[in-house]
Every structure is written in structure tokens, then in C-alpha cells.
Amino acid sequence: GTTIDLDNVSYQKQGNDAEMIDLLNDMKAGKVDALFFYQANPSYNFAKAAEFTEALKKVRLKVSFADRADETALFCDVVAPTTHYLESWGDASAKRGVYSVVQPTIAPVYNSRAAQQSLLLWSDDATNDYYTYIRNYWEKNIFPQVTGMGGFTSFWEAALQKGVVTTAQATPQAYSFTKDINTVADTIRNAAKTSGKIELAIYENVSVGDGRNANNPWLQELPDAVSKVTWDNYAAINPKFAKEIGLEEGDVAEIKSGSNTIKLPVLLQPGQAMGTISVAMGYGRTGAGKAGNGVGANIFPFVSVVNGTFQYSNPSVEVSRTGDSYELAQTQTHHTIEGRDIVKEKTLAEYAAGHGKHDAHAEGAHEGGHKVYDLWPAYKSKGHHWAMAIDMNACTGCGSCVISCNAENNIPVVGRDEVRRRREMHWLRIDRYYSFKDASGNDVTKEREYDKIDNYEEVTVVHQPMLCQHCDHAPCESVCPVLATMHSSEGLNQMAYNRCVGTRYCANNCPYKVRRFNWFNYWNDDRFANYLHNESAYLALNPDVTTRSRGVMEKCSFCAQRIQAGKLEAKIEKRALKDGDIKVACQQSCSANAIIFGDVNDPESAVAKLIESDRTYFVLEELNVQPGIGYMTKIRNTTEA
């Protein structure tokens, strides 16, 4: 009733584990004549995948609606490729009383058909059209639950425009829990201690999920929110525990349970529970596609079935060192700016007491409390001055902003080997910083050496999106010999790609390390064919943004194309530009609203108010580069007690 919201129960992920086991047994017994697969790949991600695949041989008709020849489709008699959800009609109900309409935004790219459309055509239903079927269902079942909407046509059009319809809430379902979660957890831990073995935890990461996103190179190259590893899964283990069992970062470890064995590189993960090792699912695919096949190792065979329920933890696995080593493509240290006053954190009590707030009356401070280091008055732009504010409390490090930036600005995927060489091309990265306290409760956040973190008791994480700061005193501009990077009258640090000759002086002089160098013509180099050279990748290019050629610097532009589009739209409508008219890609995709963009010269704009907030600070403000991005201090609602 508190941690779990029992009044708004999610209808998602309602799969019944016991029924899947029953299906498997029926297949083995030859009781299944026909089997249809829709958004399911049990020959890969089922706990008994090998048994399932073998049992498929006894099913007379096997039909897959997969969009590719995945691990299950390979064993089917018929593959009827379904459309992407953005290519077809549909509807959904994520929780009680909330209904949404899925509408197609593009025509099908490939020769495919919606699975629901196929089922209608193969059935005796006279509708034969899925759109009509959905519309009729809504008229009969959803429309009567809504009042004050007039006729069904006006209701349907309103539903299409809004996308979501909320009806009267039904009576909440009654739930009861027979076991306390702490008791269950203690039982698992005690079993591990008694056996002297290690507990394996299998989890789903943000990008690849259960493997369905494995062939998306954008997501494979998205660094994990905490470990910052790309293109692989790994065995994460507490540094202190790793020493106890003789493992080091980069070692390849063998994990064994019964007849199942898997080999994975070791990653030291501060803050992880002692006696545990964790591995992400969704890797080791063989039927994902060119980008996803052979990436990482498949941990699904370690999923067990206990009392008809899948268990994604195993309290007794054996872990041993193989003697091999493997370099993970990890991004956190590539462009590190650690060791300086980058992240500001306060407890709620400290903040409420005024500790750490900017003093607007301090000597050498302007309104808002940020220090002024200039020898002469700062230049005040008369028109727009674009700026950004990032709320460190809101950011969860999910990476949606990174992916949206990739899509918006035609940023190439470079692959595992290039990431290892520190050549990832992301214009926006999310830096992860650990906060440590030792056994005495002392803050030792600035300690970064892995050989010392063994004794740290409390470990917390803070995420900080880091992109070009669009400095008013940009150090990159003064060292460019060809004026390829320059400042606009609206506060943007701009790049003229056709001037750049690739000296990389700007990257050397950037204190934030947010500029990227184009080592290859990624879009037509065969070495990157698995990620970029297909018609789908070319269709995904944004026509408003150029694809950069080899040998130039590139970095965040504050989505200059979106700024221009917003201005033109306001001009066409013969009105002034309003706050909120322009949303940059990272801001638009942030579900936590952690990123706010706008004109700081408009005192009523959201960004101007946030920049002047006493919570706001500027990273490396002491360098006097005058960054255009303000960060809001991380406030933790914690007490020593």
C-alpha cells in the first residue's frame, strides 16, 4: 500500500509462468497442433529454451509474427512479419480505467502486415480490417463508460487527438502478501552463506532489456547508467569481495550452476552486496541481426523454475578465474574531469539551513550569487541568448537524452573496438560519480582509486549530463586557427564543418572534454557496415542536419536546426517567439523534465528563473569560461539517523 501502489496496478507484464510450463509439457506430449508466436521468443529468453526448441518438433503448425528470423522463427513453418507499432493501429490499457490508441505515423517500410490483421483475415470475423475492428470495440466497450462526449464520432476524434481516455475507476483488486520480503531475502542470503557459494542475480538493463533491443546499435552503444559499459554484459562484483575470491577487473570468470556454464568479464562495482555477482540478460543473441548477434553471453539458461515461477536469482553458483582477460568498452574514464568541484551535493537539512546556497550579497557577485571574474563589464546580447538548466535531482541517468541526441543529429555508431579506443561520438554523455563514506561516516567522495574503495561502507551515485557548455568565453574559440568554431550573437558556440581542418586544438583546450573528432567517414566505411549501412539506417537520418565528413570536430549545437525552425514558425504566424516554442531533442525526450532550455534574456522564461536560482551552479565556474548551462545542486532528503 505504500511502496507498492495497489490502487493503480499495472496491467503490463502479466505473463503466467506456470502456464508456460504447462504449454511446454503439452508440447512434449504432442498435444499442441498449432502454435503462434507474437512478441515472444522463447527459444532464446525462456528459462527452458533448449527444451522448448526440442518440443517444437512435435507441433504440427508453427507460425511466427516476428519482424526477423529470430531464434524461435528459425524453427517455425511460417514467418509472417508483423509491422512495427508505429506502422499500424492498436490500443492498450496499461492500468485500470486508462485506455490509449496506437496510431500509425508512417506507412510500412517493409512488406509486412499487422499480426492482428492477419488473424482477422484467417478467422471467420467479417470485419477483416483491424482499424474497423478497434473502432467497433471502442464504440461498444469504451464509449459507454465516458459521459459528456456527445456522439461516438466526436469521442473517437477526441481520443485520437489526445491519445488517452480515462474512465471511471473500478473497485481496486484486493491483494495480500503472505511472506515478508525481508524474510525472503534473509532466506536467500542464509542459503548462500550455508553453502559457501555465491548468489547470482540476473537483471534487465535499460538499453537491451530482455534482448528484444539487441540489434539496435544505438542502444548497444548507450553506456550503462552506472557501470558505463557498452556492447557487452559482464559479471559485476563488489571490489572487496572480488579480492576475497581472487578476481580482478578485466579477468574472465567462469560461472557454473549444475550443467550450465558461462564465461564473462569481471567488472568491479562499488556498492554491490557482498557475496553476490550480477549479470544482465538480453545478450548472447544468435538471431537478432547483424549488430546484435554474438554480443555478450546468454545468461537465460541460469534462470530456474521454482514452484511454477521463474527465479532470476540463484543462491548457489560457483565462480572461478579462467586465466583469460577481456577489455570492456567502458566510457566513464575516457573524457574524465573528475578530481575537481564538479558535482555539488547537500542534504535537505543543510540546504534548508542555508549551507551551500549562493550568497547574492557576496563581494564580486552579481544577481543570483554567481561570481564575476571579468576585468570589464560582460557583453549583454540584445536578442536571444540560449541557455540550459539541468536539475541534478531529477536526472536518473537513463540515457534517453543520449539516444535522442544521436537520432536528431545523425551521430554515428562506432562499435566496441572504437569505443575501447576512446572514440565514441556521443555529443552528450551522462557522467556517473560515486559518493563514498567510510566506516566512520566520513565523506571520502574524492577518493577514486579502486584499491582504496574496499573499506567504503556507504556508496551513492549521482548522474550528471555533460555536453558542450556553450561558454561565453569559450576556450575552444580562441585557439582555432581557421575560425571553424565561433560564437553566435545568440550565445551559441557554433561549428563550421567546412572550415575545420582537424587540428583538434579546440578539444585540447576544452575543460569539459565534450568535443568529438571524426576519425572515419562512418556512413560509407565498410568497417561500420553492421551499424550503419542499410536502408533503415539511412531512412533514420535527419534531413535537417548534415552528416559530417572525416577529419572534422563536432559537438552539441543546442539543436540549432530546432531553434531556426521555431523562429520560422513564429515568423510565419506573425508573432513573437514564446518560451517553450523550442525544445531541444534531449529536453523533449527527458521523462523526468531534468533538462530545461530557453532564452535567458527573457526574464520570464523557465530557464532564466532556474539560472538565477540559489540551487544553481556552473561546472568549473572558477575558470571563467562563463558556461551557458547551469546545474541545480543535488539535494538528498536524508539524515544521519
Side-chain angles (χ1 to χ4, degrees), residues 134 196 221 314 356 433 484 491 613:
I134 292 175
E221 199 152 294
N314 188 322
Y433 297 105
S613 166

mmCIF file of all heavy atoms in Angstrom, residues 134 196 221 314 356 433 484 491 613:
data_model
loop_
_atom_site.group_PDB
_atom_site.id
_atom_site.type_symbol
_atom_site.label_atom_id
_atom_site.label_comp_id
_atom_site.label_asym_id
_atom_site.label_seq_id
_atom_site.Cartn_x
_atom_site.Cartn_y
_atom_site.Cartn_z
ATOM 1 N N ILE A 134 -10.956 -2.252 -34.181
ATOM 2 C CA ILE A 134 -10.657 -1.458 -32.977
ATOM 3 C C ILE A 134 -11.738 -0.409 -32.741
ATOM 4 O O ILE A 134 -12.230 -0.227 -31.617
ATOM 5 C CB ILE A 134 -9.282 -0.775 -33.109
ATOM 6 C CG1 ILE A 134 -8.169 -1.814 -33.081
ATOM 7 C CG2 ILE A 134 -9.066 0.247 -31.995
ATOM 8 C CD1 ILE A 134 -6.793 -1.223 -33.332
ATOM 9 N N GLY A 196 28.295 -21.768 1.192
ATOM 10 C CA GLY A 196 29.624 -21.244 0.899
ATOM 11 C C GLY A 196 29.774 -20.818 -0.543
ATOM 12 O O GLY A 196 30.892 -20.558 -1.010
ATOM 13 N N GLU A 221 25.365 0.803 -27.963
ATOM 14 C CA GLU A 221 26.449 1.738 -27.670
ATOM 15 C C GLU A 221 26.088 2.741 -26.576
ATOM 16 O O GLU A 221 26.898 3.593 -26.209
ATOM 17 C CB GLU A 221 26.866 2.470 -28.948
ATOM 18 C CG GLU A 221 28.249 3.097 -28.866
ATOM 19 C CD GLU A 221 28.923 3.200 -30.214
ATOM 20 O OE1 GLU A 221 29.227 2.142 -30.803
ATOM 21 O OE2 GLU A 221 29.147 4.330 -30.687
ATOM 22 N N ASN A 314 19.972 -17.008 -8.280
ATOM 23 C CA ASN A 314 20.401 -18.359 -7.927
ATOM 24 C C ASN A 314 21.301 -18.245 -6.707
ATOM 25 O O ASN A 314 22.364 -17.616 -6.771
ATOM 26 C CB ASN A 314 21.161 -18.987 -9.096
ATOM 27 C CG ASN A 314 21.466 -20.459 -8.875
ATOM 28 O OD1 ASN A 314 21.779 -20.877 -7.758
ATOM 29 N ND2 ASN A 314 21.396 -21.247 -9.936
ATOM 30 N N GLY A 356 25.675 26.233 1.729
ATOM 31 C CA GLY A 356 25.928 25.893 0.341
ATOM 32 C C GLY A 356 25.121 26.706 -0.642
ATOM 33 O O GLY A 356 25.308 26.609 -1.837
ATOM 34 N N TYR A 433 29.092 9.670 -10.992
ATOM 35 C CA TYR A 433 30.041 9.887 -9.900
ATOM 36 C C TYR A 433 29.555 9.147 -8.657
ATOM 37 O O TYR A 433 28.363 9.160 -8.333
ATOM 38 C CB TYR A 433 30.194 11.378 -9.597
ATOM 39 C CG TYR A 433 30.758 12.164 -10.762
ATOM 40 C CD1 TYR A 433 29.937 12.975 -11.537
ATOM 41 C CD2 TYR A 433 32.105 12.081 -11.092
ATOM 42 C CE1 TYR A 433 30.440 13.685 -12.613
ATOM 43 C CE2 TYR A 433 32.626 12.783 -12.170
ATOM 44 C CZ TYR A 433 31.784 13.581 -12.926
ATOM 45 O OH TYR A 433 32.298 14.265 -14.002
ATOM 46 N N ALA A 484 36.906 27.858 -37.278
ATOM 47 C CA ALA A 484 35.852 26.872 -37.511
ATOM 48 C C ALA A 484 34.852 26.863 -36.369
ATOM 49 O O ALA A 484 33.674 26.569 -36.568
ATOM 50 C CB ALA A 484 36.448 25.484 -37.690
ATOM 51 N N GLY A 491 24.575 33.522 -28.395
ATOM 52 C CA GLY A 491 25.184 32.766 -27.316
ATOM 53 C C GLY A 491 25.543 31.330 -27.639
ATOM 54 O O GLY A 491 25.919 30.574 -26.738
ATOM 55 N N SER A 613 18.376 30.727 -9.752
ATOM 56 C CA SER A 613 18.036 30.033 -8.514
ATOM 57 C C SER A 613 19.261 29.880 -7.619
ATOM 58 O O SER A 613 20.389 29.734 -8.102
ATOM 59 C CB SER A 613 17.459 28.653 -8.842
ATOM 60 O OG SER A 613 17.407 27.835 -7.691
#
